[in-house]
Amino acid sequence: MNLENIRQFILIMSDLVPYIIWEKQEGCLCAQHCLNSLLQGEYFTAVDLSEIARNLDQAEQAALSEGATEQLQTEDNRNANASTTSQNMDDSGFFSVQVLSHALKVWNIDIIPIGSEDGRIAKIHPEDEIAYICNLHEHWFTLRKFGGLSSRWYNLDSLLRGPESISQTYLGMLLNQLENEGYSIFVVKGQLPSSQADEYGKSLPDPNLQRQNVDEIDQAMIDAAIAASLENNDVSNNKEDVTKPIDEQNNGSEPLSSTIAEQPTIDELRAKRLAKFDRVDGK
C-alpha cells in the first residue's frame, strides 16, 4: 500500500466525537440536554427552562381568562396557581415542546412537526435539514448535522454512551422507525450557532468520498490478489504438465505409444542381423 492510501485510511479514522458537545442524562433533564446538544453549548439550565415554563403558564392563563370577570389576585397566588396547573413542566424536570420552542426563539430558530405541510419536505430529503428534535414519553433528544455535510449526522441522545454517527442512508430509516414507534419529530429551521465540531468537520473530507476511496483501494487490493492467484495457478499448471504422461503433452499429435509400436522388436532386429550375416557368409 502506497503513502497516499495510508493517508486516506488515517483520514477515514478521524472523527468528530471528541469535538462534539454532548451531555449525559442527569435526572429527567433531557430537554436541557437536548437544547444544549443542538446549540453545542451550555446555554440553558433547568432554572432557565423553569422560568420560561412559568412565563408560558401565566400567558396561557391570561389568555384563558380574557373576557371573563377580572379577579384580583396577589403575586403569590398567581405563582402558586401556575405551579399547580402547569402544562409546560412538572416536578420530574420534564418540559413541554412550547418551552423548547420558546427557548429557541432567541436564536431565531423554529421547530415544526415533520408531519406538517412545511415539514413534509424533510421526509423526502431528510439529510438536507440541519437537525431534528425527537420526543417520546417525556424524553427529548437531538439528531444533528455537523459541518454542513449531509453525510455527517450524529445522534446526540443523552441516554447513549456518547454521540453516535448516523450515515446519510440510515438517517431516513431512523426517522421512519422513530415515527412508527410513536415519537414526535420536529424539524429544526433556522441557523444554528457555529461550533468547534462544525468548524473541524468542514476540514475533514466528505465521508461519502472517503468510502469511495476505500472501495477503490479495496478493489485494487482485490485485483492484485486475483492477479497473484492467477500467477500461482500458471506455475502450478506448468508443474503439472511436467508430471503428465508424455502422451498428454503432445496436444493432439500422434501418441508416442503408436510410434513405439511401429518400431521393430528385439527379435525382429536379431532376425535381420542373422539374415545379413548369412548373406555375407554366402559370398
Side-chain angles (χ1 to χ4, degrees):
M1 183 177 295
N2 60 34
L3 197 58
E4 176 61 18
N5 291 344
I6 294 175
R7 187 183 71 85
Q8 291 293 338
F9 275 115
I10 292 175
L11 288 174
I12 292 170
M13 294 301 293
S14 300
D15 196 17
L16 289 182
V17 171
Y19 300 89
I20 294 175
I21 293 177
W22 170 83
E23 295 183 355
K24 184 177 181 180
Q25 181 78 16
E26 293 184 7
C28 296
L29 300 180
C30 53
Q32 170 190 318
H33 306 319
C34 173
L35 290 174
N36 287 342
S37 62
L38 173 68
L39 300 172
Q40 285 295 285
E42 297 178 0
Y43 293 104
F44 292 101
T45 65
V47 175
D48 298 327
L49 298 180
S50 297
E51 182 64 25
I52 293 174
R54 282 193 293 268
N55 292 335
L56 287 173
D57 288 337
Q58 293 176 6
E60 291 170 1
Q61 291 170 9
L64 290 174
S65 63
E66 185 177 356
T69 303
E70 193 170 332
Q71 297 180 356
L72 182 63
Q73 291 182 317
T74 63
E75 185 67 19
D76 290 340
N77 287 337
R78 287 198 298 271
N79 291 337
N81 190 42
S83 64
T84 57
T85 62
S86 176
Q87 299 298 313
N88 294 295
M89 67 176 180
D90 60 27
D91 294 337
S92 70
F94 170 75
F95 296 97
S96 69
V97 64
Q98 288 81 8
V99 173
L100 274 70
S101 178
H102 192 81
L104 292 172
K105 289 293 184 183
V106 68
W107 301 95
N108 294 320
I109 295 173
D110 296 319
I111 54 176
I112 59 177
I114 197 170
S116 65
E117 189 67 29
D118 293 336
R120 288 180 183 175
I121 188 66
K123 288 190 173 183
I124 303 175
H125 298 291
E127 70 280 359
D128 291 341
E129 305 299 331
I130 59 173
Y132 297 91
I133 289 179
C134 308
N135 170 259
L136 179 66
H137 301 321
E138 302 185 350
H139 179 64
W140 295 96
F141 68 91
T142 294
L143 306 176
R144 191 188 193 278
K145 179 166 64 177
F146 287 91
L149 293 174
S150 298
S151 51
R152 284 208 174 273
W153 280 86
Y154 283 81
N155 185 346
L156 305 180
D157 192 340
S158 55
L159 293 178
L160 299 175
R161 294 184 177 181
E164 290 188 354
S165 176
I166 307 173
S167 69
Q168 183 173 332
T169 302
Y170 182 62
L171 175 64
M173 299 171 59
L174 176 60
L175 290 172
N176 288 334
Q177 177 184 342
L178 293 174
E179 196 169 20
N180 291 335
E181 291 177 358
Y183 277 82
S184 297
I185 302 174
F186 301 89
V187 186
V188 178
K189 296 288 186 180
Q191 184 173 358
L192 296 174
S194 182
S195 67
Q196 185 179 13
D198 285 307
E199 294 304 317
Y200 184 67
K202 294 175 183 178
S203 67
L204 294 177
D206 190 319
N208 286 339
L209 297 180
Q210 291 178 330
R211 293 188 186 98
Q212 181 180 349
N213 290 335
V214 171
D215 292 341
E216 292 175 353
I217 293 171
D218 288 345
Q219 188 59 50
M221 295 175 68
I222 291 172
D223 292 342
I226 292 174
S229 177
L230 292 175
E231 290 178 2
N232 291 335
N233 287 338
D234 290 340
V235 173
S236 177
N237 290 336
N238 290 336
K239 290 181 179 179
E240 291 178 1
D241 289 342
V242 173
T243 59
K244 284 181 180 179
I246 297 177
D247 288 352
E248 297 182 11
Q249 299 183 33
N250 290 333
N251 296 326
S253 60
E254 187 177 13
L256 184 60
S257 58
S258 63
T259 304
I260 295 175
E262 294 176 355
Q263 298 296 327
T265 66
I266 294 176
D267 292 336
E268 292 173 339
L269 290 173
R270 183 181 296 110
K272 288 181 178 181
R273 284 197 298 270
L274 290 174
K276 182 178 180 181
F277 292 149
D278 291 339
R279 287 196 300 271
V280 172
D281 293 341
K283 291 180 180 179

